DNA sequence: CTTAATTGATATAAATATAGTATCAGTTAG
DNA sequence: CTAACTGATACTATATTTATATCAATTAAG
């Protein structure tokens, strides 16, 4: 069971890079290269985030993307919703005769409770939070802060 | 974002029926008809549960399936794992240069924490628990307890 | 004022996962 | 013997995810 799809995964990572380089425009190409993500695919992801007002862009040479909100205002929950749709544990499980009285259905109740827990959990995780954790351990994540490229041997290149 | 697939959904509902009729063998056909699930597909789901020791079967006329464990011992988490694979929020997000030191990676840490929360949440929900809730509200779920068949017109037969 | 580096927009294809169907052989109660 | 069952497995269809490809518009820099 995979909770985050590539789009969400890429979105988070791209946002972390934008967060690490706040104030300047960062090109898709540079993100794609540094994080080893497919260029065109990533572009689509970023454009989607523009539509949702998470980032802004500037066209042309020296153009790129920049955060449009505070990192703490961007939660993973929102990203999941953008790229994977609303968190829903299941549709109505007993959609036939059993669901005559949906609003009081106990199964539905249990399901919605879990949905809430999962949802809350993801909401707490913001780009800001992740950035702070990264900074606190920046020695482990060099590529987000400078251009160093250690250990490129594990890589499968595209 | 859909957390439960059809297989898991069907599995839960089938187990609830087996739980409601404990002690006797219940045929796939009767479950499929009563719950409006595709017959052959459901068979596959039940066979998978046999392989995992959740239920037992008896062949031939009057055959069918029966729970092999206490309802409280069957958690939705296990069902998810059987039909959708282990709960994993994401693979290693930064599989390139950033992950030189995986064991201490803060992102990975955060990810695994959420995995645990989600996982725990589903583990708590057992077939037994759901059954008790159903019994407490059995008036809302007639088909699980008796043979009533209201509203059979919506059915698409195979 | 041309060029190369960029984003905007959109169409399409490839890969994978999910959902559903079909069939044949073996078992068993009646 | 037969009809109601499961065991096993191969197959098809649909949906979703992932990735690529193009062309137009914008802009900094020489
Ligand atoms: S699961 Fe549909 S109302 Fe109960
Ligand atoms: S996400 Fe891979 S080790 Fe950090």
């Amino acid at each position: 069971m995979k909770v985050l799809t590539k789009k969400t995964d890429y979105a988070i990572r791209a946002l972390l890079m934008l967060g690490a380089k706040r104030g300047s425009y960062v090109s898709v190409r540079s993100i794609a290269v540094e994080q080893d993500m497919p260029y065109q695919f990533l572009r689509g992801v970023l454009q989607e985030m523009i539509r949702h007002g998470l980032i802004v862009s500037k066209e042309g040479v020296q153009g790129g993307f920049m955060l449009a909100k505070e990192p703490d205002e961007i939660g993973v929950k929102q990203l999941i919703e953008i790229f994977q749709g609303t968190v829903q544990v299941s549709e109505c499980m007993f959609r036939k005769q059993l669901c005559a009285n949906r609003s009081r259905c106990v199964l539905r109740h249990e399901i919605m409770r879990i949905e809430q827990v999962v949802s809350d959990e993801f909401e707490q995780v913001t780009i800001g939070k992740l950035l702070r954790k990264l900074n606190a351990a920046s020695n482990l994540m060099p590529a987000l802060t400078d251009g160093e490229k250690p250990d490129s041997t594990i890589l499968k290149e595209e």
Side-chain angles (χ1 to χ4, degrees), chain A residues 4-17 31-32 35-43 45-46 49 79 83-84 127:
Chain A
L4 302 186
T5 62
K6 293 288 181 187
K7 279 189 179 176
T8 312
D9 172 316
Y10 294 163
I12 294 172
R13 289 157 64 185
L15 289 171
L16 288 176
M17 285 203 64
I31 298 174
Q35 297 285 340
D36 192 21
M37 305 187 252
Y39 174 67
Q40 295 293 356
F41 193 60
L42 180 58
R43 285 187 60 195
V45 168
L46 293 201
M49 289 199 281
L79 298 173
F83 295 109
Q84 304 173 225
I127 294 299

Side-chain angles (χ1 to χ4, degrees), chain A residues 76-88:
Chain A
V76 170
K77 181 190 171 187
Q78 185 180 2
L79 298 173
I80 290 177
E81 284 176 350
I82 291 173
F83 295 109
Q84 304 173 225
T86 312
V87 173
Q88 62 174 151

Side-chain angles (χ1 to χ4, degrees), chain A residues 8-120:
Chain A
T8 312
D9 172 316
Y10 294 163
I12 294 172
R13 289 157 64 185
L15 289 171
L16 288 176
M17 285 203 64
L18 297 189
K21 300 185 179 173
R22 276 221 278 175
S24 58
Y25 287 101
V26 181
S27 76
V28 175
R29 187 113 253 158
S30 69
I31 298 174
V33 168
E34 198 149 329
Q35 297 285 340
D36 192 21
M37 305 187 252
Y39 174 67
Q40 295 293 356
F41 193 60
L42 180 58
R43 285 187 60 195
V45 168
L46 293 201
Q47 294 203 356
E48 190 74 28
M49 289 199 281
I50 287 218
R51 280 178 222 123
H52 284 84
L54 297 182
I55 57 182
V56 290
S57 65
K58 184 183 147 195
E59 286 180 86
V61 178
Q62 304 279 2
F65 297 84
M66 199 187 274
L67 290 186
K69 309 178 96 177
E70 290 302 306
D72 282 323
E73 292 172 342
I74 307 175
V76 170
K77 181 190 171 187
Q78 185 180 2
L79 298 173
I80 290 177
E81 284 176 350
I82 291 173
F83 295 109
Q84 304 173 225
T86 312
V87 173
Q88 62 174 151
V89 172
S90 169
E91 298 171 356
C92 186
M93 293 190 94
F94 294 90
R95 57 209 172 297
K96 204 185 164 190
Q97 64 269 47
L98 298 173
C99 292
N101 200 331
R102 256 190 215 208
S103 59
R104 284 189 293 156
C105 170
V106 287
L107 291 180
R108 194 159 183 75
H109 187 266
E110 189 69 10
I111 282 167
M112 288 173 71
R113 188 183 61 76
I114 295 183
E115 262 176 36
Q116 198 55 51
V117 170
V118 173
S119 199
D120 289 352

Side-chain angles (χ1 to χ4, degrees), chain A residues 128-140:
Chain A
K129 201 170 182 177
L130 291 177
L131 274 174
R132 282 189 292 280
K133 292 209 174 196
L134 281 177
N135 286 336
S138 62
N139 55 312
L140 298 177

